Amino acid sequence: MEWTPGPRELADLELLLSGAFEPLTGFLGHDDLHAVHERGTLAGGAPWPAAVTLHIDADLSPGDEVTLLDPEGLPLAALAVAGHEPDGLTSGPIKALGTPEHGPFARLRRTPAEVKERLAGRPALAVTMRGPLDDLSEIVATAKELDAAILLLPLSYGEAGPAVVRAALRCAERLPEDTIVVPVPLAPRDEPEIDLELREHVATAYGASEHLAGPEPVHIPGPPHRRGLVVFFTGLSGSGKSTIARGLRDALLELGSRTLTYLDGDVVRHLLSKGLTFSKADRDLNIRRIGFVAAETARHGGLAICAPIAPYAATREEVREMVESVGADFLLVHVATPLEECERRDRKGLYAKARAGLIPEFTGISDPYEEPEDADLEIDTTHLSIEAAVSRVLDTLKSGGWVR
């Protein structure tokens, strides 16, 4: 079978394939993970600080082979399945089928073996970076004391990755001519101590005799009115969410202070998601597509308004994560009009058809609606006019600083 890993898994895969994660030869299984968490070693005793895992949501058995693809479908590696847990944790050795061909600064990528060959036995001072280096004096002094070449390893994972590489290149202009810059897509780990240990392992793999960890960058978010925002309405059919969303769009257009994108559930289904059914899998895919477009809008500082039914909590959470991963804000508005009121309105006659069995898997009748427990705003339109509902949302945006 074929499988496309997630972004963090793809980053780890690239480091496994390059040899930067030596002595690992593949993704870790249950026994190795237990040893890493308990002792900071692999099951065989070799030191290793962090989990390097892959989850595949499919039926697999030991001995199966999985082709791991990049997001564009290019085969990167073959995984020989050694273990597959009920939660999807899949372990086993990997064999390279190709190398990543895309991404900013691809021309600077080097494997540890290539860097060691260039060093030709000379000591190296590796500096791992997740942000700019303001003071280079310690690096210069340490390299001079060791008579070492300087190896800048910008940790170029995620949205901030290109900026970190650019910072490394600017630093290299103020360092000796033989300074080497090699981007490394190392995803940060949650615990600072473990993250530092992993950085040291990677630096050693690249031939470092000494390692300096650059300071962590301080992220100061911009004011809310300059940040991207997704206002995501969810609720039953007939709850009033689309009407409120359109009213919010119109009110914001009148204010003229934000760039807007409006993604209505019905319109999206006719265009972006044409051909999808109303099965759970296709509903989830439809919401993910809406979330992707909304996140791309918010990535560049825009404001996106979405109004699908979005009945499943896990998929709504995926969209929130998509949006927040690009540095934007997410506002979940639950239009909590009760089913009885939605069915009483039934402007399109959908509930009547669902009750008659003419529409299968209809949310609220034959398919569940999972009410949000994480809504930022809840509105019941049973006894509330659309104008008042729009005002409540707009007031929330103003009080939060997203609209001025």
Side-chain angles (χ1 to χ4, degrees), residues 84-147:
H84 183 70
E85 304 293 332
D87 65 355
L89 178 72
T90 306
S91 59
I94 57 171
K95 178 179 66 176
L97 299 177
T99 56
E101 295 183 354
H102 307 290
F105 299 107
R107 67 184 185 281
L108 297 176
R109 288 179 182 153
R110 299 288 184 274
T111 66
E114 290 169 337
V115 172
K116 289 176 181 177
E117 182 178 356
R118 181 170 172 180
L119 291 170
R122 185 181 177 189
L125 170 64
V127 183
T128 54
M129 305 169 51
R130 291 205 190 275
L133 302 174
D134 296 325
D135 184 3
L136 302 180
S137 58
E138 181 183 2
I139 296 171
V140 172
T142 304
K144 185 175 181 179
E145 179 184 343
L146 298 172
D147 189 25

Side-chain angles (χ1 to χ4, degrees), residues 89-303:
L89 178 72
T90 306
S91 59
I94 57 171
K95 178 179 66 176
L97 299 177
T99 56
E101 295 183 354
H102 307 290
F105 299 107
R107 67 184 185 281
L108 297 176
R109 288 179 182 153
R110 299 288 184 274
T111 66
E114 290 169 337
V115 172
K116 289 176 181 177
E117 182 178 356
R118 181 170 172 180
L119 291 170
R122 185 181 177 189
L125 170 64
V127 183
T128 54
M129 305 169 51
R130 291 205 190 275
L133 302 174
D134 296 325
D135 184 3
L136 302 180
S137 58
E138 181 183 2
I139 296 171
V140 172
T142 304
K144 185 175 181 179
E145 179 184 343
L146 298 172
D147 189 25
I150 298 173
L151 175 61
L152 297 181
L153 300 177
L155 305 179
S156 57
Y157 175 78
E159 294 294 316
V164 179
V165 181
R166 289 194 295 271
L169 292 172
R170 286 194 296 270
C171 289
E173 294 174 355
R174 297 183 285 147
L175 293 170
E177 290 185 2
D178 61 353
T179 296
I180 304 171
V181 178
V182 179
V184 178
L186 180 64
R189 268 50 185 183
D190 293 333
E191 298 181 41
E193 297 82 2
I194 291 177
D195 189 66
L196 178 59
E197 283 188 53
L198 190 57
R199 288 163 75 162
E200 290 178 346
H201 271 267
V202 170
T204 300
Y206 274 92
S209 46
E210 190 79 18
H211 169 238
L212 290 176
E216 293 299 301
V218 177
H219 295 288
I220 303 176
H225 70 279
R226 295 190 182 277
R227 293 204 298 269
L229 172 67
V230 173
V231 182
F232 193 95
F233 290 87
T234 177
L236 294 168
S237 177
S239 62
K241 63 186 180 305
S242 293
T243 308
I244 300 171
R246 285 194 298 270
L248 178 65
R249 176 200 62 187
D250 295 345
L252 291 173
L253 286 173
E254 290 181 18
L255 287 173
S257 60
R258 298 291 306 240
T259 301
L260 290 179
T261 297
Y262 176 61
L263 299 166
D264 178 73
D266 291 337
V267 174
V268 167
R269 274 208 168 262
H270 285 303
L271 297 172
L272 189 64
S273 296
K274 187 175 183 179
L276 294 184
T277 69
F278 286 90
S279 67
K280 183 179 188 305
D282 279 1
R283 289 185 189 195
D284 284 344
L285 179 56
N286 178 53
I287 300 306
R288 291 190 189 101
R289 289 178 178 178
I290 292 173
F292 173 77
V293 174
E296 288 300 300
T297 298
R299 178 199 300 271
H300 303 291
L303 191 156

